[in-house]
Amino acid sequence: MSFPSLPVPQFIQIHRDDPDAIRRELAQGLQAAAAHTAPKYLYDALGSRLFDAITELPEYYPTRTEAALLAAHGAAIAAEVPKGATLVDLGAGNCEKAARLFGLLQPARYVAVDISVDYLRNALQCLQRQFPALPMLGVGLDFSARLDLPAELGEGPRVLFYPGSSIGNFTPEEALVFLRQVRAAAQGGGLLIGVDLVKPAELLVPAYDDALGVTAAFNKNLLLHLNQVLGSDFAVHDWEHMASFNTKASRIEMHLRARRGLTVRWPGGERRFALGESIHTENSYKYRPADFQALLLAAGYTRVQAWTDERGWFGMFWAQG
Ligand code: AVI
């Protein structure tokens, strides 16, 4: 007996920074006057799981608000987005958000992009069984520094999908550069992007400092990740999680604050931290709809449309290339 062959997704891993360059970047950030690390270091295997848990917390409104927004306005959004394009899912993870849009957007091809193909393998293989007629490609690429999509994506318009307000983890200047790169990559298609909006600090801060302490664990797990990558000797209990809203900069800031004076050492370097001194681990910018629209237009998009939920907490923007 023979079985029809099942479609299989293709996978490509684009080269990653070499470990020495990563260690140099981390050491530089830790030894800067205001110690800092790039937000991507929050996401090792455990960090990614803790982030998934964050999205289920009662205080963390963005994920469920965005899902409700897409469900409520899906048809109107689909009316704007070109059919038959290549759907490129940036930071795809478990690919769930994009999969919910397949019926509406009717892509000709699905490309899931995440920092490592290993994060995509299972999800894409399961999804391929559910959608056997849709060609799928998994791309391992760290696009936080530069969005350089491989030639394997082929020609033709692309709809880039960047949900979850991950754009908020770039500074507005970095966001502008990134949005320009996305526009070039869209080849005449466009960008569908989820953006968290400005709201009172009483609503914002608990989303980043939840009662269960999941976000605290997510932030502190960075130290374990640094110990692995840099060979440092951070002791987690010496640090406390801090989240605050910087109104002037319109951003949530996450820090890890030293609970005592201490020295952290790693091969070839060290840093002394005074009691209360902190490592700045993440920014999460919150936009006013008009400001984000202006950013998209400055990046060269020709037409922008936005949908928000009733409370005006979250925005979904379609920007035509
Ligand atoms: C991935 N990113 C959009 C999240 C955010 O809200 O900025 C990361 C996060 N950090 C703490 N909680 C969630």
Side-chain angles (χ1 to χ4, degrees):
M1 190 159 73
S2 73
F3 294 93
S5 63
L6 288 168
V8 287
Q10 304 299 303
F11 293 96
I12 313 172
Q13 176 70 53
I14 309 296
H15 76 276
R16 302 165 107 166
D17 279 353
D18 76 279
D20 283 344
I22 292 173
R23 282 192 282 269
R24 270 198 307 278
E25 181 198 319
L26 285 170
Q28 253 173 27
L30 289 173
Q31 289 176 325
H36 59 273
T37 51
K40 65 181 175 189
Y41 295 109
L42 291 162
Y43 300 90
D44 62 352
L46 179 55
S48 298
R49 288 188 176 184
L50 287 166
F51 177 67
D52 284 346
I54 286 173
T55 64
E56 294 187 28
L57 292 169
E59 296 95 331
Y60 194 76
Y61 60 84
T63 312
R64 75 181 72 85
T65 310
E66 181 181 57
L69 194 55
L70 281 170
H73 299 284
I77 293 170
E80 300 298 325
V81 177
K83 309 277 173 308
T86 296
L87 178 62
V88 183
D89 188 2
L90 297 173
N94 60 19
C95 308
E96 267 175 21
K97 287 184 187 175
R100 274 184 235 135
L101 297 179
F102 288 169
L104 282 168
L105 303 187
Q106 296 171 35
R109 193 167 190 221
Y110 174 58
V111 179
V113 185
D114 213 309
I115 194 155
S116 158
V117 269
D118 300 331
Y119 290 165
L120 297 169
R121 235 173 257 286
N122 280 344
L124 220 50
Q125 277 158 354
C126 290
L127 208 56
Q128 186 73 87
R129 284 193 282 276
Q130 287 173 56
F131 298 90
L134 185 63
M136 295 187 185
L137 173 68
V139 178
L141 169 71
D142 176 7
F143 56 83
S144 64
R146 160 150 209 93
L147 180 69
D148 233 339
L149 294 171
E152 281 81 350
L153 264 73
E155 293 304 311
R158 300 165 181 166
V159 171
L160 283 94
F161 181 49
Y162 197 39
S165 199
S166 294
I167 193 74
N169 300 131
F170 290 104
T171 64
E173 296 74 28
E174 292 164 345
L176 180 62
V177 171
F178 177 74
L179 292 170
R180 284 192 177 127
Q181 291 170 2
V182 169
R183 183 173 164 268
Q187 300 187 162
L191 167 67
L192 185 60
I193 183 168
V195 182
D196 199 13
L197 302 177
V198 179
K199 56 187 72 61
E202 306 81 79
L203 294 166
L204 283 167
V205 173
Y208 293 82
D209 193 7
D210 57 282
L212 281 177
V214 181
T215 311
F218 170 69
N219 199 9
K220 290 181 196 170
N221 175 63
L222 169 81
L223 301 173
L224 297 180
H225 190 200
L226 293 185
N227 285 352
Q228 255 190 2
V229 175
L230 185 62
S232 49
D233 60 356
F234 282 102
V236 171
H237 54 256
D238 282 338
W239 299 86
E240 66 181 331
H241 166 68
M242 300 284 306
S244 59
F245 186 55
N246 178 334
T247 313
K248 196 158 167 262
S250 195
R251 68 186 190 206
I252 285 280
E253 290 185 12
M254 285 204 327
H255 291 252
L256 288 164
R257 189 160 70 182
R259 299 173 63 187
R260 62 181 181 89
L262 53 89
T263 300
V264 179
R265 296 186 175 82
W266 57 87
E270 62 177 39
R271 165 77 196 245
R272 174 87 197 149
F273 288 92
L275 165 72
E277 212 177 337
S278 77
I279 306 171
H280 189 169
T281 57
E282 190 183 56
N283 288 318
S284 193
Y285 283 82
K286 309 300 167 189
Y287 286 91
R288 272 172 245 286
D291 292 343
F292 197 73
Q293 169 152 0
L295 195 64
L296 287 165
L297 293 173
Y301 294 88
T302 52
R303 212 164 77 90
V304 175
Q305 260 171 292
W307 296 265
T308 58
D309 56 292
E310 280 164 13
R311 296 180 293 193
W313 283 10
F314 202 89
M316 185 56 62
F317 290 75
W318 165 249
Q320 203 164 298

